[in-house]
Amino acid sequence: MAAMERHGIFADSITYSELIKCCLARNAVKQGLAQNSEGDEALNQFKRMKRAGFATDQSTLTSVLRACTGHAGLVDDGWNYFQSMKRHYGIDPGREHYGCIIDLLGRAGKLDEAVKLIQEMKCEPDATIWRTLLGACRVHRNVDLAIYAAEQVLKLDPEDAGTYVLLSNIFANSQRWEDVSKVRRAMKDKGIAKEPGCSWIEVNKQIHAFVLGDTSHPKSNEINWRVNQLIHKLMGIGYVPDTNYVLQDLEGEQRDDSLRYHSEKLAIVFGLMSLPMGSAIRIRKNLRICGDCHTFAKLVAKMENRLIVIRDPIRYHHFQNGVCSCGDYW
């Protein structure tokens, strides 16, 4: 913060070109804070910038709403900012603003309010809006609304593989295996393929990629063995595999085993094997981290006294001392 003040972001008198640079910088900072689950700090920056006399534009309000979306305690703040856009800032909400607030309501479990807001939108909801609602249905296990949201997405984007996969996952979590088969059959008939989950980690300036079921890594056997050993140790301190994230019709030990080799678990264990004691483990993932791997990462970070950072498509997760920066809200 002090560095930004030294560079004039909160200066009383700056040139027009400097003002433009500052406006770009402030939005980038708030977006970065939001992605790292620092919603409170992002809002504090917004308030400071308002006091300093900076104008509020559409991008600024998008950043503010995203910051609220990333924190469970900022639902009321986000809703108040959204409702005041026209009145206080003279800005009509656009699709991005609606998308943020629908995400906010959905994450908070206010699915009825989210649907009502979609119906009241002054612009036509796009596929992204409906995907956001679909994601909230997965979190809160509202299967009927999920089916409706998925239908709306596929009307607008019939080839969207993510929607088929997410709907299949929702059915699987409810153990509606016949519906899972129907969705997968529809994907096959349309030639739509599921993107495999993949995690990357850099060690000694070399990128190592991990995918569930892929044994091509030269240390695959050792990694798998160490995953099993680590899970055994974690179960001794209270870890219980969350089989709600098993997406196949399996029973008993098979359900637990299917969770063991998710790509982020493999990447974490490889990081423990390969990086110096005490150094941070930084991982990039192409799909949103699942709840079981999230719990796994928290416990590993505590037991091994490590900082583990996982960047998924939504945000950065900083795992340390048994907690995550997202506050289990993502």
Side-chain angles (χ1 to χ4, degrees), residues 21-39:
K21 291 178 182 177
C22 289
C23 289
L24 293 173
R26 65 178 181 174
N27 289 338
V29 168
K30 285 196 289 294
Q31 288 173 3
L33 289 169
Q35 285 186 329
N36 285 276
S37 301
E38 296 288 348

Side-chain angles (χ1 to χ4, degrees), residues 131-245:
R131 286 191 200 99
T132 300
L133 180 63
L134 179 59
C137 292
R138 177 191 64 83
V139 173
H140 298 288
R141 305 202 173 191
N142 189 322
V143 179
D144 292 336
L145 185 55
I147 295 171
Y148 174 71
E151 289 173 348
Q152 304 313 307
V153 175
L154 295 176
K155 285 179 183 177
L156 298 167
D157 189 359
E159 305 299 315
D160 181 39
T163 293
Y164 283 102
V165 171
L166 191 51
L167 185 59
S168 175
N169 293 353
I170 291 168
F171 285 140
N173 286 336
S174 300
Q175 298 187 21
R176 291 174 55 165
W177 304 114
E178 288 187 11
D179 290 318
V180 171
S181 297
K182 289 178 182 177
V183 173
R184 292 180 178 172
R185 192 158 50 245
M187 292 178 68
K188 184 177 180 180
D189 292 343
K190 294 177 180 291
I192 298 172
K194 175 185 180 296
E195 180 183 11
C198 184
S199 296
W200 299 268
I201 182 171
E202 181 177 346
V203 175
N204 296 327
K205 298 184 179 180
Q206 182 177 355
I207 302 297
H208 298 259
F210 297 93
V211 178
L212 174 66
D214 181 13
T215 59
S216 62
H217 194 280
K219 293 189 176 182
S220 180
N221 290 336
E222 182 182 0
I223 293 169
N224 289 345
W225 182 82
R226 291 192 179 229
V227 166
N228 289 324
Q229 291 297 307
L230 184 56
I231 288 176
H232 180 73
K233 290 172 64 177
L234 292 176
M235 292 177 84
I237 61 171
Y239 170 64
V240 178
D242 189 346
T243 55
N244 287 320
Y245 293 92

Side-chain angles (χ1 to χ4, degrees), residues 1 10-11 22 26-27 35 38 44 55 91 128-129 157 175 181 186 194 265 280 284 287 290 303 326:
M1 189 72 69
F10 296 116
C22 289
R26 65 178 181 174
N27 289 338
Q35 285 186 329
E38 296 288 348
N44 287 337
I91 297 172
T128 300
I129 295 288
D157 189 359
Q175 298 187 21
S181 297
K194 175 185 180 296
K265 289 189 177 79
R284 182 68 187 262
L287 303 179
C290 86
M303 187 171 69
C326 76

